[in-house]
Amino acid sequence: MTIRNISPALLLLPLLLLLLQPHYSVQQGCNCVDCKDVIEGPYSGSYYSMGVPSLTGGCLYRNRLNGKIIRACDQETSLSDAHEYNVCDLASGPQECVDPPDYADFGYTSRIWDGTKILLSRVSYYCEPPKMIESYNGSANYDIWCSAAEFPAWQFTLPDNNLPLCS
């Protein structure tokens, strides 16, 4: 039996079928939970999930204390990079930011703060002229935020919960 005049479209059919197969998410076989406590190694610490696996690309976690982001999918581990973890209680971690820095310790005249330390809380520090905020844009006001980017530290504070000096 001889096959003649095969359409080029028929030759591409197997490739087309391959492309149309359902795609499996990076998530398949992963064990994504709300919270993981990595017991030892370079990633040790408590991590919370950063969202729905289908939106994050799978098992994306942020460290509760230092903000480090890791992808922790059990399926992807091998003996060389496996890290033991325990499932933790998401509610047991910090629920609010640490206390903001005291204004007087850094030379500021005052601060405006409603006393809240939840996400999106703001503290505004006032540096009375002619004093200026060190390495800043010339404004007399310096704002910090309780933000998920630095949680539980305040975003725009310096290391160890410090402020730029007002002098």
Side-chain angles (χ1 to χ4, degrees), residues 62-80:
R62 181 184 295 272
N63 186 294
R64 295 181 196 228
L65 299 179
N66 64 24
K68 181 185 282 187
I69 297 173
I70 64 170
R71 188 168 308 281
C73 178
D74 300 349
Q75 181 185 24
E76 294 172 355
T77 62
S78 69
L79 293 178
S80 65

Side-chain angles (χ1 to χ4, degrees), residues 10 19 21 25 69 96:
L10 285 177
L19 291 173
Q21 285 182 350
S25 147
I69 297 173
E96 55 186 28

Side-chain angles (χ1 to χ4, degrees), residues 1-159:
M1 168 154 86
T2 307
I3 301 175
R4 295 178 208 203
N5 296 332
I6 297 177
S7 163
L10 285 177
L11 291 174
L12 293 175
L13 185 60
L15 180 61
L16 183 61
L17 290 173
L18 248 169
L19 291 173
L20 293 177
Q21 285 182 350
H23 288 234
Y24 293 99
S25 147
V26 178
Q27 279 310 111
Q28 188 175 13
C30 289
N31 187 16
C32 299
V33 294
D34 288 337
C35 180
K36 288 183 176 183
D37 280 332
V38 179
I39 298 171
E40 60 183 309
Y43 306 107
S44 63
S46 185
Y47 294 82
Y48 63 89
S49 172
M50 292 183 64
V52 189
S54 62
L55 297 176
T56 64
C59 291
L60 198 60
Y61 293 89
R62 181 184 295 272
N63 186 294
R64 295 181 196 228
L65 299 179
N66 64 24
K68 181 185 282 187
I69 297 173
I70 64 170
R71 188 168 308 281
C73 178
D74 300 349
Q75 181 185 24
E76 294 172 355
T77 62
S78 69
L79 293 178
S80 65
D81 69 354
H83 300 284
E84 190 175 343
Y85 71 88
N86 292 321
V87 175
C88 55
D89 178 15
L90 190 57
S92 68
Q95 301 296 310
E96 55 186 28
C97 278
V98 298
D99 290 333
D102 184 44
Y103 65 92
D105 294 346
F106 301 94
Y108 291 85
T109 307
S110 63
R111 72 178 175 195
I112 298 172
W113 177 40
D114 65 5
T116 62
K117 297 185 287 183
I118 59 173
L119 288 178
L120 302 180
S121 295
R122 181 182 77 165
V123 182
S124 185
Y125 294 85
Y126 180 66
C127 181
E128 188 171 356
K131 295 189 334 183
M132 295 184 70
I133 301 170
E134 190 174 280
S135 301
Y136 197 51
N137 65 8
S139 171
N141 295 307
Y142 190 80
D143 293 342
I144 62 172
W145 300 84
C146 181
S147 163
E150 302 289 331
F151 191 79
W154 291 81
Q155 187 172 19
F156 305 120
T157 57
L158 301 176

